[in-house]
Amino acid sequence: MKSTQAKFGFKHKSGILMAVSSLPGRYGIGSVSAPAFKFIDFLKECKQRVWQVLPLNPTAYGDSPYQSPCSFAGNPYFIDLDALKNESLLCEEDLKGAIDNGDRVDYGKLFETRIPLLKKAYAKFSSTPKYTRFAEKNADWLDDYALFMTLKEKNDYKAWTEWKDMREYAFAKAHEREFVQECGFWKFVQFEFFSQWKKVREYAKKNGISIVGDMPIYVACDSVEVWRDPSEFLLDENLVPTVVAGCPPDAFSDDGQLWGNPIYDWKKMKENGYRWWVERAKHVFELYDIVRIDHFRGFAGYYVIPYGDETAKNGHWETGVGYELFAEIEKAVPKAKIIAEDLGHITDDVRELLEKTGYPGMKVLQFAFNDKKNEYLPRNYKTDNCVVYTGTHDSAPTKAWFSDMTDVEKKAFERECPVRFGQSPTAALVAFAMNSPANLAVIPLQDYMELGAEARMNMPSTAQGNWTWRASGRFATTALKNKITTITENSDRA
């Protein structure tokens, strides 16, 4: 096996995948304050080195963090309301209506209640030098995001292509001064989010925990990026996409996956030195220690589907931007710590790009049991420069995955990953990951808790009902801590 220099500043460590939205708390969704600090304490007690999160961006229709109205902004729902109370911006009476200790995120309720509550806080907010510095430093994206959200709200949250007025960015900017107060609110929201997240990251660093963030490859069609710079996307004269993103039919889906995101005009982006990508990379590395780049194969070759198609069957492949984009990113962020999500239809051009960048790829064990030569089987790893997972946010928790396996697949599983007496298949797969050569092993919290289908985060190709799972406020039991610590120590990852 080829052994490589550690890419993350450590060798042979482990971490846990846990979305911020899934953190416990009394306001219906996880937040970036007290619940996050407690989770960092939990990771440290369990001798973990990494906390991997899903994108922190705002969500919109479908509640997916991969379909955000802005790639630079933070999710307003993640703002800790108790922190606003401590700043005297809210009182206990204000918070009563926000209390929700349910085990699922109710995005409909959040949409109706959270923004009005944040507006109450904004009404009491007075500008500070810290706020002024934040607004000035982030003006390149913050001003346009605030204007976009202001206009969206005035248009009943319809997509920008359906707005009656201000549909054209240049016209809207000319009238920006008319919306100073409303834009100020959305800037305040981002100031609070980033101020709180900064404290979380500092606390994690103090406790030896690296945070792995997630950078989606595509943006939503209904986003400030497409509204502001339509020429950087493949749109027609009416600003409608000519093609959209997805992936082709495969063993998991006869119709393929129709994501619907607009496709970048890579030629146009090249002309300006991939400016947007470079600024985005610099931004995300202020939020995270390590960044997982979503759908890495799309940079080697990407699948496009005619706009208006109801399935992904009629798509075709286009050649991707390749290494030159990452060369520009590495100039802007020297020694950037990046994980390549090299999953899906992997071809030689993807493997070549991965090798040229030197980024560690992903090994998902739930994909490993259909062939003795499967590259996801630990004995077939050619290098330790990789990150191993039992499953991802797009797959079922291992308990549910195993129960749905065929008898043939279960035999293959038992051959490669024997289940000891008294051990569950989930625990066996976790141990299989932890004892692999991979430099980093990341286990979804659901697998350590041995939860089933009820704890699944996302079902690809379904638009509703995803991203809602939350951990119980009592999940961090002594038994669970001992369990995680023991497997971490036994696999020499402590």
Side-chain angles (χ1 to χ4, degrees):
M1 175 186 292
K2 182 180 177 183
S3 182
T4 59
Q5 185 178 2
K7 298 291 183 180
F8 305 135
F10 53 73
K11 289 282 284 183
H12 203 66
K13 299 299 180 185
S14 61
I16 292 177
L17 171 60
M18 175 69 161
V20 169
S21 61
S22 296
L23 291 170
R26 69 172 186 154
Y27 300 117
I29 193 169
S31 70
V32 294
S33 194
F37 295 142
K38 290 179 181 178
F39 190 70
I40 291 167
D41 292 340
F42 170 78
L43 291 169
K44 184 178 181 181
E45 289 177 44
C46 297
K47 301 192 176 180
Q48 302 304 293
R49 186 64 187 270
V50 158
W51 176 14
Q52 181 168 335
V53 299
L54 298 184
L56 299 177
N57 309 114
T59 55
Y61 177 78
D63 310 315
S64 171
Y66 295 90
Q67 294 280 356
S68 177
C70 181
S71 297
F72 286 72
N75 193 331
Y77 298 159
F78 292 166
I79 292 173
D80 184 73
L81 299 180
D82 287 325
L84 298 184
K85 187 182 75 170
N86 293 338
E87 295 173 36
S88 300
L89 300 179
L90 293 174
C91 65
E92 191 62 38
E93 188 66 28
D94 294 327
L95 300 182
K96 285 183 179 179
I99 294 174
D100 180 356
N101 293 304
D103 59 359
R104 316 298 294 187
V105 179
D106 185 341
Y107 287 99
K109 180 179 178 181
L110 287 171
F111 179 77
E112 295 293 334
T113 62
R114 190 55 56 91
I115 296 304
L117 191 57
L118 292 173
K119 285 185 176 180
K120 276 192 173 184
Y122 177 59
K124 295 183 179 179
F125 176 74
S126 297
S127 182
T128 64
K130 185 178 178 182
Y131 169 80
T132 301
R133 288 193 298 271
F134 170 81
E136 291 175 349
K137 178 183 177 182
N138 294 282
D140 285 348
W141 68 266
L142 183 61
D143 289 355
D144 289 339
Y145 168 72
L147 180 59
F148 180 78
M149 292 305 298
T150 294
L151 297 176
K152 221 173 150 48
E153 189 175 21
K154 288 184 177 296
N155 285 275
D156 297 321
Y157 287 94
K158 293 177 182 176
W160 66 268
T161 51
E162 299 177 34
W163 295 353
K164 294 179 181 178
D165 302 310
M166 309 294 177
R167 188 168 178 258
E168 292 187 8
Y169 170 74
F171 181 80
K173 287 294 282 186
H175 290 265
E176 188 172 18
R177 291 185 179 180
E178 299 172 19
F179 310 109
V180 171
Q181 184 68 15
E182 295 94 332
C183 288
F185 164 70
W186 291 103
K187 293 178 184 181
F188 156 77
V189 167
Q190 291 304 305
F191 170 68
E192 290 293 340
F193 171 86
F194 282 102
S195 296
Q196 291 185 10
W197 180 251
K198 183 179 179 181
K199 293 176 182 177
V200 170
R201 184 163 179 210
E202 288 172 348
Y203 189 75
K205 186 176 182 179
K206 178 182 175 182
N207 285 277
I209 303 297
S210 296
I211 297 179
V212 177
D214 197 312
M215 188 166 78
I217 180 173
Y218 291 121
V219 303
C221 194
D222 186 25
S223 66
V224 64
E225 284 87 357
V226 183
W227 174 66
R228 182 184 60 199
D229 295 311
S231 65
E232 294 208 329
F233 299 85
L234 298 180
L235 311 179
D236 65 18
E237 64 275 8
N238 296 314
L239 302 180
V240 174
T242 56
V243 288
V244 294
C247 62
D250 56 22
F252 299 100
S253 173
D254 292 337
D255 291 333
Q257 293 181 31
L258 180 60
W259 301 334
N261 307 79
I263 301 295
Y264 301 111
D265 186 336
W266 287 112
K267 291 181 180 178
K268 180 70 182 293
M269 286 186 158
K270 182 176 181 179
E271 291 174 4
N272 61 36
Y274 305 104
R275 180 182 62 239
W276 178 78
W277 279 99
V278 168
E279 291 305 313
R280 188 183 182 197
K282 289 193 289 188
H283 180 72
V284 296
F285 276 102
E286 290 185 0
L287 300 178
Y288 314 117
D289 303 292
I290 303 166
V291 172
R292 169 195 177 271
I293 295 184
D294 171 57
H295 198 57
F296 182 79
R297 77 100 50 245
F299 297 100
Y302 54 96
Y303 193 73
V304 300
I305 303 152
Y307 179 78
D309 277 18
E310 295 182 358
T311 74
K313 288 181 176 180
N314 296 322
H316 67 275
W317 289 98
E318 293 280 356
T319 302
V321 65
Y323 179 72
E324 63 182 38
L325 171 64
F326 297 104
E328 293 299 324
I329 288 175
E330 287 166 5
K331 286 179 189 175
V333 190
K335 299 181 180 179
K337 298 174 181 177
I338 290 173
I339 297 170
E341 191 255 328
D342 56 336
L343 305 176
H345 181 63
I346 303 305
T347 48
D348 288 343
D349 56 345
V350 184
R351 295 185 179 93
E352 290 168 7
L353 181 59
L354 186 68
E355 185 172 355
K356 191 165 187 178
T357 61
Y359 302 151
M362 290 174 56
K363 306 291 186 184
V364 180
L365 295 184
Q366 288 186 11
F367 302 165
F369 303 102
N370 60 358
D371 185 339
K372 291 182 180 180
K373 296 182 180 179
N374 190 298
E375 64 184 282
Y376 296 131
L377 286 172
R379 60 179 171 78
N380 293 331
Y381 295 178
K382 296 179 180 179
T383 173
D384 59 4
N385 184 35
C386 59
V387 184
V388 65
Y389 299 79
T390 48
T392 73
H393 63 270
D394 282 332
S395 55
T398 296
K399 181 179 179 179
W401 166 79
F402 185 83
S403 68
D404 289 339
M405 291 176 81
T406 65
D407 289 341
V408 172
E409 290 169 333
K410 286 181 179 179
K411 286 182 180 179
F413 179 91
E414 290 164 4
R415 181 184 66 244
E416 299 287 350
C417 180
V419 180
R420 300 195 315 268
F421 179 76
Q423 186 184 42
S424 69
T426 298
L429 194 67
V430 169
F432 201 41
M434 294 290 281
N435 287 300
S436 78
N439 187 25
L440 177 62
V442 178
I443 310 298
L445 182 67
Q446 293 96 313
D447 282 354
Y448 275 128
M449 296 177 71
E450 303 216 20
L451 300 177
E454 77 284 354
R456 182 166 188 162
M457 280 300 287
N458 182 47
M459 177 79 75
S461 297
T462 60
Q464 301 295 325
N466 296 312
W467 319 106
T468 64
W469 177 74
R470 298 187 69 202
S472 162
R474 298 180 295 277
F475 82 89
T477 63
T478 300
L480 182 61
K481 292 177 186 177
N482 290 341
K483 176 182 179 179
I484 298 173
T485 302
T486 298
I487 185 60
T488 305
E489 292 176 338
N490 290 345
S491 58
D492 198 27
R493 292 185 181 272

